[in-house]
Amino acid sequence: MARIVKVAAAQMGPNVHEATNTGGPGPRATVMARILALLEDAAKQGAQLVVFPELALTTFFPRAMITDAAELEALFEPEEGSGAGGSSEAAGIRESPHFKPLFDRSTALGVDVSIGYAERWTNTAATPPVTTDYNTAVYFSAATGSVVAKYRKVHLPGRTTPIPDPGAAQQLEKHYFRPGNLGFQAFRAPGLVAGARKAGGPEAATDGAESTSGTGDPIIGMLICNDRRWFEAWRSLGLQGAELVLCGYNTSDYKPQDTGTPAEQTALALLHHHISCQGGSYTNACFGVHVAKAGVEATGQPGGGLIGGTVIYDPLGRKVAEAMTQDTDELVIAALDLDMCRKPRQTIFNFANHRRVEHYSRIVEQVGLVEPPLLESFLPE
Ligand code: CDT
């Protein structure tokens, strides 16, 4: 039975905050109306899954230092529970007034959704309760009417304090968020393909991944923006057989403090984006769905512009489809045959046959760069 999933990458134009032009939530109702319009359009075109960008409900506020507590609070979705706050405790976001219209409509249309937002998690089991902010994405399954997976961004770029130059573009994710604590956990999305093998079913294989590979419900992983540049993240998902990697992003197009004209910097940012996405898909034999929030969110502010580049790559590293626009709401839709993941997994990227983990310890034991020692002296002439 063919395992084909029709996916829509829902690129979003800028979420402009007219009031402060810096970092507020933007007019939430307008943003949600755009998100719902993209969902409706995708459903009409037969999409089964719609992927939205990182921090889809708000502007990319880490470009500014926000000191007003109320303004900051309005950018976050509050959630709470007595554990780490993974998908099993995601009822809060399911019922959040900001998200409920989207999840209700997604359920009615039978279309899954993956979307990013700023999460304010309170662990109520701690005394006193502990609140932690994360840059988060959830996967909402229309078949179950619930959030079946949550991912918290692991690689937070930028700084904890602003660059002390008023002309510089800021990237303050390390100030606003803590690194994700849920790891790179792949999961299966129910109801996307017909005839998927189930655990304990009459025909279920008993001899491991080799024989069940490519027969169950689709295996999905989520990354958020900067994560796509880290091959450790991709491999963590690849090792779980992820067939579809979903990644929303906000990547600035120009920083005055960097070298090059705006056009040159934008071209380089797009090049690095595509290299990362293409390489991740190829070396892990998976599809990658990469979705931009794009365009100018904060006029006249350094770092106020974001690249487009919404794109879908296949397991051989080929572009399947990409956005025509660089700064507007636009759907990029493709039917993805998940069976394409199988051949490279049986050959060049057959991990079980070819990986040499005895030589990889440095990757997890060492964080920063350690060069070989300097040579003692010049080599003789
Ligand atoms: N949102 C996010 O992670 N943005 C970063 C900007 C880093 S500067 C190139 C990114 O990796 O795209």
mmCIF file of all heavy atoms in Angstrom, residues 268-301:
data_model
loop_
_atom_site.group_PDB
_atom_site.id
_atom_site.type_symbol
_atom_site.label_atom_id
_atom_site.label_comp_id
_atom_site.label_asym_id
_atom_site.label_seq_id
_atom_site.Cartn_x
_atom_site.Cartn_y
_atom_site.Cartn_z
ATOM 1 N N LEU A 268 23.322 34.953 0.984
ATOM 2 C CA LEU A 268 24.120 34.021 1.782
ATOM 3 C C LEU A 268 23.241 33.297 2.818
ATOM 4 O O LEU A 268 23.387 32.086 3.034
ATOM 5 C CB LEU A 268 25.247 34.793 2.488
ATOM 6 C CG LEU A 268 26.373 33.955 3.073
ATOM 7 C CD1 LEU A 268 27.065 33.114 2.004
ATOM 8 C CD2 LEU A 268 27.406 34.864 3.774
ATOM 9 N N ALA A 269 22.325 34.043 3.428
ATOM 10 C CA ALA A 269 21.421 33.417 4.417
ATOM 11 C C ALA A 269 20.583 32.325 3.748
ATOM 12 O O ALA A 269 20.366 31.242 4.317
ATOM 13 C CB ALA A 269 20.524 34.474 5.049
ATOM 14 N N LEU A 270 20.130 32.604 2.527
ATOM 15 C CA LEU A 270 19.334 31.596 1.808
ATOM 16 C C LEU A 270 20.198 30.398 1.425
ATOM 17 O O LEU A 270 19.754 29.246 1.517
ATOM 18 C CB LEU A 270 18.687 32.220 0.568
ATOM 19 C CG LEU A 270 17.467 33.097 0.879
ATOM 20 C CD1 LEU A 270 17.105 33.985 -0.306
ATOM 21 C CD2 LEU A 270 16.259 32.237 1.278
ATOM 22 N N LEU A 271 21.440 30.668 1.028
ATOM 23 C CA LEU A 271 22.350 29.569 0.683
ATOM 24 C C LEU A 271 22.547 28.652 1.893
ATOM 25 O O LEU A 271 22.417 27.418 1.789
ATOM 26 C CB LEU A 271 23.702 30.131 0.217
ATOM 27 C CG LEU A 271 24.793 29.090 -0.014
ATOM 28 C CD1 LEU A 271 24.475 28.222 -1.229
ATOM 29 C CD2 LEU A 271 26.169 29.751 -0.186
ATOM 30 N N HIS A 272 22.840 29.236 3.038
ATOM 31 C CA HIS A 272 23.081 28.425 4.246
ATOM 32 C C HIS A 272 21.819 27.665 4.667
ATOM 33 O O HIS A 272 21.890 26.524 5.126
ATOM 34 C CB HIS A 272 23.571 29.322 5.388
ATOM 35 C CG HIS A 272 24.919 29.924 5.108
ATOM 36 N ND1 HIS A 272 25.414 31.012 5.777
ATOM 37 C CD2 HIS A 272 25.873 29.581 4.197
ATOM 38 C CE1 HIS A 272 26.623 31.312 5.313
ATOM 39 N NE2 HIS A 272 26.909 30.464 4.348
ATOM 40 N N HIS A 273 20.692 28.307 4.511
ATOM 41 C CA HIS A 273 19.410 27.648 4.795
ATOM 42 C C HIS A 273 19.244 26.401 3.916
ATOM 43 O O HIS A 273 18.989 25.299 4.415
ATOM 44 C CB HIS A 273 18.293 28.669 4.550
ATOM 45 C CG HIS A 273 16.942 28.099 4.305
ATOM 46 N ND1 HIS A 273 16.220 27.431 5.270
ATOM 47 C CD2 HIS A 273 16.158 28.095 3.182
ATOM 48 C CE1 HIS A 273 15.064 27.044 4.758
ATOM 49 N NE2 HIS A 273 15.001 27.431 3.504
ATOM 50 N N HIS A 274 19.441 26.578 2.616
ATOM 51 C CA HIS A 274 19.225 25.451 1.704
ATOM 52 C C HIS A 274 20.264 24.347 1.897
ATOM 53 O O HIS A 274 19.922 23.169 1.854
ATOM 54 C CB HIS A 274 19.201 25.939 0.249
ATOM 55 C CG HIS A 274 17.930 26.638 -0.102
ATOM 56 N ND1 HIS A 274 16.714 25.983 -0.200
ATOM 57 C CD2 HIS A 274 17.656 27.942 -0.340
ATOM 58 C CE1 HIS A 274 15.762 26.849 -0.500
ATOM 59 N NE2 HIS A 274 16.306 28.049 -0.590
ATOM 60 N N ILE A 275 21.532 24.741 2.130
ATOM 61 C CA ILE A 275 22.569 23.715 2.372
ATOM 62 C C ILE A 275 22.156 22.841 3.556
ATOM 63 O O ILE A 275 22.245 21.612 3.517
ATOM 64 C CB ILE A 275 23.928 24.373 2.712
ATOM 65 C CG1 ILE A 275 24.544 25.036 1.503
ATOM 66 C CG2 ILE A 275 24.893 23.357 3.299
ATOM 67 C CD1 ILE A 275 25.789 25.868 1.863
ATOM 68 N N SER A 276 21.724 23.495 4.632
ATOM 69 C CA SER A 276 21.388 22.763 5.861
ATOM 70 C C SER A 276 20.218 21.812 5.627
ATOM 71 O O SER A 276 20.243 20.645 6.039
ATOM 72 C CB SER A 276 21.026 23.742 6.985
ATOM 73 O OG SER A 276 22.082 24.651 7.193
ATOM 74 N N CYS A 277 19.193 22.333 4.966
ATOM 75 C CA CYS A 277 17.978 21.525 4.774
ATOM 76 C C CYS A 277 18.233 20.377 3.796
ATOM 77 O O CYS A 277 17.790 19.236 4.016
ATOM 78 C CB CYS A 277 16.834 22.393 4.267
ATOM 79 S SG CYS A 277 16.448 23.766 5.362
ATOM 80 N N GLN A 278 18.946 20.693 2.737
ATOM 81 C CA GLN A 278 19.216 19.675 1.717
ATOM 82 C C GLN A 278 20.099 18.571 2.293
ATOM 83 O O GLN A 278 19.838 17.378 2.121
ATOM 84 C CB GLN A 278 19.918 20.349 0.538
ATOM 85 C CG GLN A 278 20.175 19.449 -0.634
ATOM 86 C CD GLN A 278 20.802 20.220 -1.790
ATOM 87 O OE1 GLN A 278 21.607 21.136 -1.570
ATOM 88 N NE2 GLN A 278 20.438 19.876 -3.003
ATOM 89 N N GLY A 279 21.148 18.988 3.017
ATOM 90 C CA GLY A 279 22.064 18.001 3.599
ATOM 91 C C GLY A 279 21.384 17.141 4.653
ATOM 92 O O GLY A 279 21.619 15.927 4.724
ATOM 93 N N GLY A 280 20.545 17.761 5.453
ATOM 94 C CA GLY A 280 19.839 17.004 6.495
ATOM 95 C C GLY A 280 18.946 15.932 5.896
ATOM 96 O O GLY A 280 18.914 14.783 6.370
ATOM 97 N N SER A 281 18.230 16.288 4.836
ATOM 98 C CA SER A 281 17.339 15.307 4.204
ATOM 99 C C SER A 281 18.129 14.194 3.540
ATOM 100 O O SER A 281 17.825 13.008 3.690
ATOM 101 C CB SER A 281 16.448 15.989 3.156
ATOM 102 O OG SER A 281 15.239 16.392 3.741
ATOM 103 N N TYR A 282 19.164 14.580 2.801
ATOM 104 C CA TYR A 282 19.939 13.584 2.061
ATOM 105 C C TYR A 282 20.613 12.590 3.004
ATOM 106 O O TYR A 282 20.503 11.374 2.815
ATOM 107 C CB TYR A 282 20.985 14.292 1.182
ATOM 108 C CG TYR A 282 22.005 13.350 0.607
ATOM 109 C CD1 TYR A 282 21.617 12.306 -0.232
ATOM 110 C CD2 TYR A 282 23.355 13.484 0.916
ATOM 111 C CE1 TYR A 282 22.550 11.420 -0.748
ATOM 112 C CE2 TYR A 282 24.292 12.604 0.407
ATOM 113 C CZ TYR A 282 23.885 11.563 -0.423
ATOM 114 O OH TYR A 282 24.797 10.682 -0.914
ATOM 115 N N THR A 283 21.285 13.090 4.044
ATOM 116 C CA THR A 283 22.084 12.186 4.877
ATOM 117 C C THR A 283 21.238 11.378 5.856
ATOM 118 O O THR A 283 21.755 10.473 6.517
ATOM 119 C CB THR A 283 23.179 12.960 5.644
ATOM 120 O OG1 THR A 283 22.565 14.007 6.375
ATOM 121 C CG2 THR A 283 24.205 13.531 4.695
ATOM 122 N N ASN A 284 19.954 11.712 5.936
ATOM 123 C CA ASN A 284 19.079 10.933 6.814
ATOM 124 C C ASN A 284 17.918 10.300 6.054
ATOM 125 O O ASN A 284 17.003 9.741 6.667
ATOM 126 C CB ASN A 284 18.578 11.804 7.959
ATOM 127 C CG ASN A 284 19.735 12.184 8.867
ATOM 128 O OD1 ASN A 284 20.200 11.366 9.652
ATOM 129 N ND2 ASN A 284 20.247 13.390 8.716
ATOM 130 N N ALA A 285 17.968 10.433 4.719
ATOM 131 C CA ALA A 285 16.990 9.785 3.852
ATOM 132 C C ALA A 285 15.552 10.093 4.272
ATOM 133 O O ALA A 285 14.724 9.194 4.433
ATOM 134 C CB ALA A 285 17.230 8.271 3.821
ATOM 135 N N CYS A 286 15.298 11.381 4.442
ATOM 136 C CA CYS A 286 13.946 11.769 4.874
ATOM 137 C C CYS A 286 13.488 13.002 4.096
ATOM 138 O O CYS A 286 14.301 13.743 3.547
ATOM 139 C CB CYS A 286 13.934 12.068 6.366
ATOM 140 S SG CYS A 286 15.040 13.394 6.855
ATOM 141 N N PHE A 287 12.194 13.218 4.072
ATOM 142 C CA PHE A 287 11.666 14.481 3.549
ATOM 143 C C PHE A 287 11.860 15.570 4.599
ATOM 144 O O PHE A 287 11.787 15.293 5.808
ATOM 145 C CB PHE A 287 10.174 14.350 3.232
ATOM 146 C CG PHE A 287 9.896 13.531 2.001
ATOM 147 C CD1 PHE A 287 9.645 12.164 2.106
ATOM 148 C CD2 PHE A 287 9.879 14.121 0.744
ATOM 149 C CE1 PHE A 287 9.393 11.399 0.978
ATOM 150 C CE2 PHE A 287 9.633 13.358 -0.389
ATOM 151 C CZ PHE A 287 9.385 11.998 -0.273
ATOM 152 N N GLY A 288 12.074 16.802 4.141
ATOM 153 C CA GLY A 288 12.152 17.948 5.048
ATOM 154 C C GLY A 288 11.184 19.020 4.584
ATOM 155 O O GLY A 288 11.181 19.374 3.398
ATOM 156 N N VAL A 289 10.361 19.496 5.493
ATOM 157 C CA VAL A 289 9.392 20.548 5.169
ATOM 158 C C VAL A 289 9.784 21.773 5.985
ATOM 159 O O VAL A 289 9.676 21.767 7.213
ATOM 160 C CB VAL A 289 7.955 20.093 5.521
ATOM 161 C CG1 VAL A 289 6.943 21.174 5.147
ATOM 162 C CG2 VAL A 289 7.635 18.774 4.824
ATOM 163 N N HIS A 290 10.269 22.808 5.300
ATOM 164 C CA HIS A 290 10.874 23.965 5.978
ATOM 165 C C HIS A 290 10.038 25.202 5.678
ATOM 166 O O HIS A 290 9.843 25.549 4.511
ATOM 167 C CB HIS A 290 12.307 24.138 5.510
ATOM 168 C CG HIS A 290 13.128 22.904 5.758
ATOM 169 N ND1 HIS A 290 13.742 22.653 6.961
ATOM 170 C CD2 HIS A 290 13.368 21.826 4.972
ATOM 171 C CE1 HIS A 290 14.363 21.486 6.898
ATOM 172 N NE2 HIS A 290 14.145 20.954 5.702
ATOM 173 N N VAL A 291 9.559 25.850 6.730
ATOM 174 C CA VAL A 291 8.519 26.861 6.564
ATOM 175 C C VAL A 291 8.926 28.184 7.194
ATOM 176 O O VAL A 291 9.172 28.270 8.401
ATOM 177 C CB VAL A 291 7.198 26.372 7.206
ATOM 178 C CG1 VAL A 291 6.058 27.292 6.821
ATOM 179 C CG2 VAL A 291 6.906 24.944 6.788
ATOM 180 N N ALA A 292 8.972 29.227 6.367
ATOM 181 C CA ALA A 292 9.431 30.550 6.817
ATOM 182 C C ALA A 292 8.292 31.397 7.347
ATOM 183 O O ALA A 292 7.178 31.344 6.845
ATOM 184 C CB ALA A 292 10.074 31.293 5.648
ATOM 185 N N LYS A 293 8.624 32.215 8.356
ATOM 186 C CA LYS A 293 7.906 33.485 8.546
ATOM 187 C C LYS A 293 8.816 34.494 7.883
ATOM 188 O O LYS A 293 9.994 34.576 8.200
ATOM 189 C CB LYS A 293 7.644 33.776 10.010
ATOM 190 C CG LYS A 293 6.985 35.142 10.216
ATOM 191 C CD LYS A 293 5.834 35.116 11.212
ATOM 192 C CE LYS A 293 6.239 34.716 12.601
ATOM 193 N NZ LYS A 293 7.242 35.664 13.190
ATOM 194 N N ALA A 294 8.287 35.226 6.901
ATOM 195 C CA ALA A 294 9.125 35.948 5.957
ATOM 196 C C ALA A 294 8.678 37.389 5.797
ATOM 197 O O ALA A 294 7.506 37.713 5.991
ATOM 198 C CB ALA A 294 9.049 35.245 4.595
ATOM 199 N N GLY A 295 9.642 38.241 5.439
ATOM 200 C CA GLY A 295 9.319 39.641 5.157
ATOM 201 C C GLY A 295 9.692 40.555 6.315
ATOM 202 O O GLY A 295 10.279 40.123 7.303
ATOM 203 N N VAL A 296 9.308 41.813 6.183
ATOM 204 C CA VAL A 296 9.722 42.825 7.165
ATOM 205 C C VAL A 296 8.690 42.907 8.290
ATOM 206 O O VAL A 296 7.558 43.326 8.075
ATOM 207 C CB VAL A 296 9.889 44.200 6.485
ATOM 208 C CG1 VAL A 296 10.277 45.255 7.525
ATOM 209 C CG2 VAL A 296 10.947 44.117 5.397
ATOM 210 N N GLU A 297 9.108 42.501 9.483
ATOM 211 C CA GLU A 297 8.195 42.540 10.637
ATOM 212 C C GLU A 297 8.336 43.847 11.420
ATOM 213 O O GLU A 297 7.422 44.250 12.119
ATOM 214 C CB GLU A 297 8.484 41.364 11.585
ATOM 215 C CG GLU A 297 8.023 40.029 11.045
ATOM 216 C CD GLU A 297 7.788 39.002 12.129
ATOM 217 O OE1 GLU A 297 8.645 38.875 13.017
ATOM 218 O OE2 GLU A 297 6.746 38.325 12.074
ATOM 219 N N ALA A 298 9.507 44.448 11.372
ATOM 220 C CA ALA A 298 9.742 45.671 12.140
ATOM 221 C C ALA A 298 10.493 46.652 11.256
ATOM 222 O O ALA A 298 11.705 46.573 11.124
ATOM 223 C CB ALA A 298 10.541 45.354 13.392
ATOM 224 N N THR A 299 9.730 47.569 10.646
ATOM 225 C CA THR A 299 10.329 48.509 9.699
ATOM 226 C C THR A 299 11.334 49.415 10.389
ATOM 227 O O THR A 299 11.085 49.888 11.487
ATOM 228 C CB THR A 299 9.246 49.427 9.084
ATOM 229 O OG1 THR A 299 8.001 48.769 9.154
ATOM 230 C CG2 THR A 299 9.584 49.813 7.677
ATOM 231 N N GLY A 300 12.461 49.592 9.748
ATOM 232 C CA GLY A 300 13.446 50.541 10.261
ATOM 233 C C GLY A 300 14.240 50.022 11.440
ATOM 234 O O GLY A 300 15.122 50.700 11.946
ATOM 235 N N GLN A 301 13.934 48.815 11.889
ATOM 236 C CA GLN A 301 14.687 48.255 13.020
ATOM 237 C C GLN A 301 15.736 47.283 12.480
ATOM 238 O O GLN A 301 15.406 46.428 11.659
ATOM 239 C CB GLN A 301 13.735 47.524 13.958
ATOM 240 C CG GLN A 301 14.417 47.092 15.246
ATOM 241 C CD GLN A 301 13.463 46.334 16.142
ATOM 242 O OE1 GLN A 301 12.272 46.515 16.061
ATOM 243 N NE2 GLN A 301 14.001 45.478 16.974
#
